[in-house]
Amino acid sequence: QVQLVESGGGSVQAGGSLRLSCAASKYTNVGNCMGWFRQAPGKEREGVAVIYNLDGSAYYAVSVKGRFTISRDNSETTVYLDMNSLKPEDTAMYYCAASHTCRTHWVLVPSEYDYWGQGTQVTVSS
């Protein structure tokens, strides 16, 4: 069983930055890709950014492209999400997830993911 632990959430003003971290339990197979998702109150969970463990290629939701950057450490067990130029609409609970399948056209779909962290809150004030 893979355990994912997020950290780094908090409250910032619009235009600010935050860095989220997701640490996977050691010596486990986290799968082919890891990603960040978010869910705002009353809304469905949506994909934000995903990174493939094999080659480091990344995919982003249109709403965050150019502002957010996903990366991983060399051990491939920690994934980061650097969030810049934050907007109030970025306010949500952010979740880390890992998938064994990672089908190319489905990488931002929550149902494709096998393991989930507990989430970390990001609040952006105007």
Side-chain angles (χ1 to χ4, degrees):
Q1 182 73 13
V2 175
Q3 290 185 325
L4 304 173
V5 179
E6 303 99 333
S7 60
S11 298
V12 295
Q13 290 190 329
S17 301
L18 281 174
R19 184 182 226 205
L20 305 183
S21 299
C22 171
S25 44
K26 291 183 179 180
Y27 312 119
T28 57
N29 179 6
V30 297
N32 292 327
C33 66
M34 295 179 70
W36 287 96
F37 294 76
R38 67 186 181 187
Q39 188 168 17
K43 294 188 176 181
E44 293 187 354
R45 190 169 297 188
E46 62 175 359
V48 175
V50 172
I51 189 165
Y52 276 82
N53 291 328
L54 182 62
D55 60 6
S57 56
Y59 295 86
Y60 297 92
V62 171
S63 59
V64 305
K65 201 168 186 178
R67 299 188 299 121
F68 291 10
T69 303
I70 189 170
S71 60
R72 58 183 170 81
D73 67 1
N74 290 334
S75 69
E76 301 175 11
T77 58
T78 302
V79 175
Y80 305 98
L81 185 67
D82 289 296
M83 305 184 294
N84 298 310
S85 302
L86 283 161
K87 305 175 181 179
E89 50 263 44
D90 294 318
T91 295
M93 185 71 79
Y94 282 71
Y95 298 90
C96 177
S99 173
H100 286 293
T101 52
C102 308
R103 294 183 291 175
T104 302
H105 298 294
W106 298 84
V107 289
L108 291 176
V109 177
S111 61
E112 292 284 298
Y113 285 75
D114 305 293
Y115 310 106
W116 291 87
Q118 81 288 352
T120 185
Q121 178 67 37
V122 172
T123 302
V124 184
S125 58
S126 57

